[in-house]
Amino acid sequence: FSSSGVIGSGVCIFSRSCIIDTGSHAFSLNGYAHKIQHGDWFGGKVVGLCKVLHRGIRINLYVTHLHAEYNKLHDQYLAHRIAQSFEFSQFVQLTSETADLAIMAGDFNTEPEDLPYRIILNNTGSQDTFLMQPTISQDSKGSGATCGHPRNTYTTKQELFDAPQGIRIDYVFLKHGKGVKTECFSCETPLEKIPNGTVSYSDHEAVVVKLLVTKSAYFEEPAMNNSARFTVLEEAGHLLNASLVCLRKNRIFYFMLSCLLLSLLLLSTPFNLPYGLNAFMIFSRIVLSIGLGFCLWMCSVMNNIEQKALLGACNGIQVLLASLKEDRGIEFQESDQVSS
């Protein structure tokens, strides 16, 4: 169990096998504190890790919950989820080097065509177990809805209107190392309603995966698709840099608004006014003070936190891109020598 933030992130791993080590990483960016109606900031989203020894196989189990997407057309949290998905993928990369198998699960709040999904898949070199099923056909790859499912009792009419069959945003990814081979027999959402009840277990469908893991010295570690990885990271870098530009504009906006509110506050010095107008003036000064405090907090505290988190993700992406460029250059030179 991993607890963070104000009210706790609410991620947990249960294992029948022996857990030999645990860890967690809190995301640098978790939404906005003043967006009380969303609550992601108060949850303090994290990625949790349990290292498990199962029949001689070293398995890293990861669980996470990325920032929610409240409006797909005007997604103000896209940069936050991109930064979180990059941090998540880097955490998996850096902690799974000695593991035979890494299994990543959770509510990722991103659909298969979205950038955060592609970052996780390509920057970790992992596979989506839903797409690994032997019986899945090309026509059915759009199914497997985990949120907004028509049978779920928590699904709203708006969700059904936007996506009649629901959307797939909860996943089980896996990444195997050298000497391990993994087969996925099924990836399903079999739970419906609570037994003897009339409601679903949750507003999200549970994802149940059946795997066969085989260990042998003859199995090679799968090679990462560095070309796809480079493309995805480059796209993420562009979007994060655009967000940084907007962030600088927001800082100027809140600073100018702070100056305006401060001027109004100074001009609203109490005068000898009738009782009704004096009460109104006092109320106005309270409102102006609260507004001034909020604007100063946004341009100095929240803006700095968001900027540093986005810069951290951008710097990490730039390091990887430079490394991938160098590797691609070496590969290109070698191919030229072979062809000549």
Side-chain angles (χ1 to χ4, degrees):
F1 173 75
S2 179
S3 182
S4 67
V6 179
I7 59 176
S9 61
V11 295
C12 187
I13 295 176
F14 295 95
S15 173
R16 293 179 62 182
S17 301
C18 177
I19 297 176
I20 57 177
D21 203 357
T22 63
S24 65
H25 169 72
F27 293 123
S28 303
L29 208 50
N30 280 306
Y32 302 112
H34 64 283
K35 298 282 185 179
I36 301 174
Q37 73 276 22
H38 293 163
D40 294 76
W41 184 87
F42 296 93
K45 303 298 180 65
V46 303
V47 47
L49 162 65
C50 283
K51 293 189 175 184
V52 172
L53 187 63
H54 179 75
R55 297 180 182 179
I57 301 174
R58 295 167 298 175
I59 304 176
N60 279 17
L61 302 175
Y62 299 88
V63 62
T64 193
H65 188 180
L66 300 190
H67 199 292
E69 179 186 69
Y70 294 98
N71 189 328
K72 192 171 183 67
L73 297 178
H74 304 284
D75 188 3
Q76 60 183 309
Y77 298 113
L78 177 59
H80 291 219
R81 274 198 314 285
I82 289 173
Q84 287 180 345
S85 61
F86 177 70
E87 280 189 41
F88 174 82
S89 62
Q90 287 294 94
F91 183 76
V92 171
Q93 275 288 88
L94 297 172
T95 57
S96 64
E97 292 178 342
T98 59
D100 297 316
L101 177 67
I103 300 176
M104 300 145 265
D107 178 2
F108 290 87
N109 279 312
T110 178
E111 296 181 63
E113 66 273 10
D114 295 339
L115 182 57
Y117 171 92
R118 291 184 282 122
I119 290 173
I120 293 169
L121 218 61
N122 289 286
N123 199 40
T124 60
S126 58
Q127 296 173 278
D128 186 346
T129 54
F130 181 78
L131 304 180
M132 292 174 63
Q133 298 176 89
T135 57
I136 192 170
S137 64
Q138 292 295 326
D139 295 333
S140 64
K141 284 188 177 181
S143 61
T146 63
C147 182
H149 200 288
R151 76 181 176 208
N152 195 292
T153 55
Y154 297 104
T155 299
T156 64
K157 291 181 179 180
Q158 185 61 45
E159 287 176 322
L160 288 174
F161 178 80
D162 295 336
Q165 300 303 317
I167 56 176
R168 191 165 72 94
I169 59 176
D170 303 84
Y171 306 95
V172 177
F173 301 114
L174 65 85
K175 172 188 176 182
H176 50 269
K178 186 177 181 180
V180 170
K181 180 182 178 182
T182 310
E183 297 177 68
C184 179
F185 292 139
S186 64
C187 178
E188 302 172 328
T189 55
L191 301 184
E192 296 190 8
K193 292 182 175 61
I194 297 173
N196 303 318
T198 58
V199 296
S200 302
Y201 286 88
S202 167
D203 59 330
H204 286 237
E205 302 295 315
V207 181
V208 179
V209 178
K210 294 181 180 179
L211 303 172
L212 173 63
V213 182
T214 309
K215 189 172 183 178
S216 172
Y218 297 103
F219 297 139
E220 293 293 329
E221 184 176 354
M224 292 183 68
N225 186 343
N226 282 334
S227 178
R229 189 184 185 192
F230 182 89
T231 302
V232 164
L233 291 176
E234 193 174 41
E235 183 180 349
H238 289 319
L239 279 170
L240 292 181
N241 281 318
S243 296
L244 282 169
V245 173
C246 292
L247 207 56
R248 295 186 188 101
K249 292 180 180 178
N250 287 341
R251 172 176 285 185
I252 295 172
F253 169 77
Y254 281 115
F255 177 76
M256 296 300 292
L257 192 56
S258 298
C259 293
L260 175 62
L261 291 173
L262 180 61
S263 300
L264 291 174
L265 192 61
L266 294 173
L267 290 172
S268 62
T269 305
F271 296 99
N272 293 323
L273 300 172
Y275 177 77
L277 289 177
N278 191 46
F280 174 76
M281 188 66 69
I282 293 172
F283 176 76
S284 300
R285 287 176 64 83
I286 292 172
V287 172
L288 289 171
S289 299
I290 294 173
L292 176 61
F294 173 76
C295 290
L296 289 174
W297 180 63
M298 286 296 294
C299 71
S300 60
V301 178
M302 291 302 294
N303 192 282
N304 272 337
I305 292 173
E306 189 172 4
Q307 185 180 39
K308 284 179 172 58
L310 291 178
L311 279 173
C314 282
N315 291 337
I317 288 172
Q318 290 304 316
V319 169
L320 281 177
L321 286 175
S323 175
L324 290 170
K325 278 182 182 178
E326 186 177 345
D327 291 343
R328 289 172 70 177
I330 293 171
E331 290 174 4
F332 182 74
Q333 291 173 6
E334 289 178 347
S335 63
D336 282 350
Q337 291 174 2
V338 171
S339 61
S340 61

